[in-house]
Amino acid sequence: MTLTGKMLIGQQSLSGHRDAIRAINPATDTPLEPAYAGGDGEQVEQACALAWDAFDTYRETALADRARFLETIADNIEALGDELVERASAETGLPSARIQGERGRTCGQLRAFARTVRLGEWLDVRVDTAQPQRQPLPRADLRQRHIALGPVAVFGASNFPLAFSVAGGDTASALAAGCPVVVKAHSAHPGTSELVGRAIAQAVKQCDLPEGVFSLLYGSGNEVGIALVTDPRIKAVGFTGSRSGGVALCQAAQARPEPIPVYAEMSSINPVYLFPAALEARAQALAEGFVASLTQGAGQFCTNPGLVIALQGAALERFITVASDLLPGCAAQTMLTPGIFSAYETGVSTLAKHAKVAAKGLAASGPNQGQAHLFVTQAQAFLNNEHLQAEVFGATSLVVECRDAEQMRLVSEHLEGQLTATLHVDEHDLPQARALLPVLERKAGRLLVNGWPTGVEVCDAMVHGGPFPATSDARSTSVGTAAILRFLRPVCYQDFPDALLPHALQHSNPLLLRRLLDGQREA
Ligand code: NAP
C-alpha cells in the first residue's frame, strides 16, 4: 500500500492544512517519507460531526455484527503483512520480532473484544419485575442495561505502535462498547498509523457501518488534541503517554461546559520488593531476572521495574553485585524517538546527582541509544528527595535500601500510585508480605508474586491501571476485556411496554443473556 500522508475522516482521505510532521527513524536519525500535514479545527469538527452522526446507529448494531467488525479489523491488519512490520520497525527502532509479537497481541485483543461483545455480559442486564400488589406502595417494572457513552477520542502511545495505538486497546474497547472512535495519531509513527487506520476504515466499509465510526487525524503541537478533547460531541478520552500530556488533557476535559471522563495512563515506577528469605535463598537468580526485565525493549514499558525495595544486608549486597556484573554486558538500545531519548538522558543525569551509580550498561554506539543504569540509595534519602521518586522512562532502576520492615512500610506509604507492585517471597516471608499488602493494594492496580511486571497479559482478569499518576482514574483497566466498562453507562427503563424495550431487556430475553432477574442470577 502506498502511504499517502493523508488523514482519514470517515471514508474520505484528506490532506491537513497545518505544519507537516515526518517520522524519524531513531536508529539512523533520518526522516521518513511521506510528510503528514496536521489537521485543523475544521477537520476535527468534521470527524466529530461524522462520529456523532454514526453514534446512534453504531451503538445499536447487533452483537454478532459488532463482533464481526472487530474481527474484520484484525483480519485486515494481518493482511497488511510485512509492510506493516517494516514501517513500524523503521518508525520506532523496535526490532521486527517485537513488532510481529505486538501485531499478534493487537489482533488477539480485537478478537477477545469480539468474544466479549458476543457474550453480552457487559450489558449488565438487571430486571426488577413489577409488583403491583406490594404494600404500602406498588413497585414499577424496572430494567437496566448499559449503553455506549458516545464518540471517544483516542491518543495512541509511542511505546506500543500497534497494541496501544490506532487499533490498540483503547480503540478496541471503545468500538466494542459501541462508541465511534476518532484517533489522534502519535506523531512518532504516522505511517504505521495510516496503514492501520486504512485497515479499520476498510472494515467499516466491509461491514456496512456508518463511515463516522472511525476517523484518524494527524497533528503535533497540541492543537488537534485539545480541539478533539473539547469538541462537545466527544464523550470520553483514552490516552497513554506522559504525565504532563495526560494531565493537560484531563484539565481540558474538566474545563468543558460538559466535563467528560479521561482515561489516561501516565507514569509508574513499579516497585519490586525483595523480601529477606527470598533474597537470602536466590539473590543471583533474582538479579538475573531483574536485569532481563529492566533492559527488555530498552526499558520502554510502562511496567518497567524502576524501583527495587529491600532490607539492607549481605543478601541485598549480593543482589546488587550480581546485577552490577550483568549490566555492563547489556547493549545500549535505540529508543523510540529522539525526544524520549533526550528525556531519558535528563532523567538519568538527575538521578546521578542524587543517588550512587552501581552499574551502567554498554555505552551507546549509535544515535538515540539508551544506556542502562542501576542506582542505589538509602530509604531515608528516598523519602526526603522527590527527584529519586520520579519515573525515568527507559532501562534505569533505583535500589532503595531499608533499615527494617517499618522503614520498608514507610517507603511504600510514600509512593505515588502504581500500575504494579511485585513481591519476591519465600514461605518465611509471608507474614511480612501480608503486613505490607494493605498498603500495596492501596497503591497499585496489579500485585505480582515471584515474577516480573513487564509483560501484560490481555485477558478478562487483567488490571492495567492504578491510582494517580499511574492513571487518571483508578476504577478501571486499559488492558483486558474489562476495559470495555470505561466507555459504558447504565440506563434504566421504567414501565416500558415490551415492544418499546431494547432487545436486551425484553421479557422473552431474545439475546439469551444471563440477567439478574428479581435478585437471582439466571443460569
Ligand atoms: P506524550 O508526549 O504524552 O504524547 C502522547 C500523545 O499525546 C501524542 O499524540 C501527543 O501529541 C499528545 N499530547 C501530549 N501532550 C499533549 C497536550 N498537552 N495536548 C494535546 N495533546 C498532547 O508521550 P510520548 O511522546 O509517547 O512519550 C513522552 C514521555 O511519556 C516518555 O518519555 C515517558 O516518560 C512517557 N510515556 C509513558 C508511557 C506509559 O506507558 N506510562 C508510555 C509512553 C510514554 P504529539 O503526537 O504531537 O506528540
Side-chain angles (χ1 to χ4, degrees), residues 66-76 110-111 114 118:
R66 203 185 303 168
R68 188 68 215 126
F69 170 49
L70 294 168
E71 288 161 350
T72 306
I73 297 173
D75 295 345
N76 292 352
L110 284 157
R111 293 184 175 116
R118 280 199 183 89

Side-chain angles (χ1 to χ4, degrees), residues 125 503-515 522:
V125 169
H503 284 128
L505 299 182
Q506 286 174 349
H507 293 265
S508 62
N509 191 12
L511 304 186
L512 304 176
L513 299 167
R514 287 180 68 240
R515 307 176 299 181
E522 288 183 315

Side-chain angles (χ1 to χ4, degrees), residues 21 154-160 164 184-189 218-227 229 239-249 252 264-268 270 300-303 335-337 339-344 391-394 419 464 469-470:
I21 45 153
V154 170
F155 291 77
S158 54
N159 58 340
F160 280 93
F164 257 80
K184 201 313 249 153
H186 198 291
S187 302
H189 54 265
Y218 295 95
S220 65
N222 305 345
E223 182 190 349
V224 165
I226 294 294
V229 169
F239 168 94
T240 303
S242 64
R243 184 168 178 165
S244 58
V247 167
L249 295 182
E265 192 221 303
M266 298 168 288
S267 168
S268 180
N270 306 298
Q300 300 169 118
F301 290 110
C302 34
T303 52
M335 299 194 75
L336 292 157
T337 67
I340 285 176
F341 169 65
S342 145
Y344 177 69
E391 180 189 37
V392 178
F393 188 68
L419 292 170
H464 191 64

Side-chain angles (χ1 to χ4, degrees), residues 120-130 139-147 485 489-495 501-507 509 513-522:
E121 298 272 330
W122 53 276
L123 285 160
D124 193 13
V125 169
R126 292 151 185 256
V127 177
D128 292 306
T129 50
R139 183 171 84 179
D141 182 274
L142 294 153
R143 287 160 193 263
Q144 185 198 110
R145 69 161 177 165
H146 277 75
I147 69 162
L485 301 174
R489 70 180 179 86
V491 178
C492 177
Y493 302 75
Q494 184 166 335
D495 281 339
L501 278 169
H503 284 128
L505 299 182
Q506 286 174 349
H507 293 265
N509 191 12
L513 299 167
R514 287 180 68 240
R515 307 176 299 181
L516 188 63
L517 178 62
D518 290 327
Q520 301 295 319
R521 178 67 64 192
E522 288 183 315

Side-chain angles (χ1 to χ4, degrees), residues 167-191:
D170 285 337
T171 298
S173 52
L175 290 176
C179 300
V181 168
V182 182
V183 173
K184 201 313 249 153
H186 198 291
S187 302
H189 54 265

Side-chain angles (χ1 to χ4, degrees), residues 46 60 94 121 138 221 253 320 348 379 386 391 393 405 473 485 507 510:
Q46 233 178 315
E60 290 300 340
L94 296 170
E121 298 272 330
I320 294 171
V348 167
E386 65 182 23
E391 180 189 37
F393 188 68
D473 190 335
L485 301 174
H507 293 265

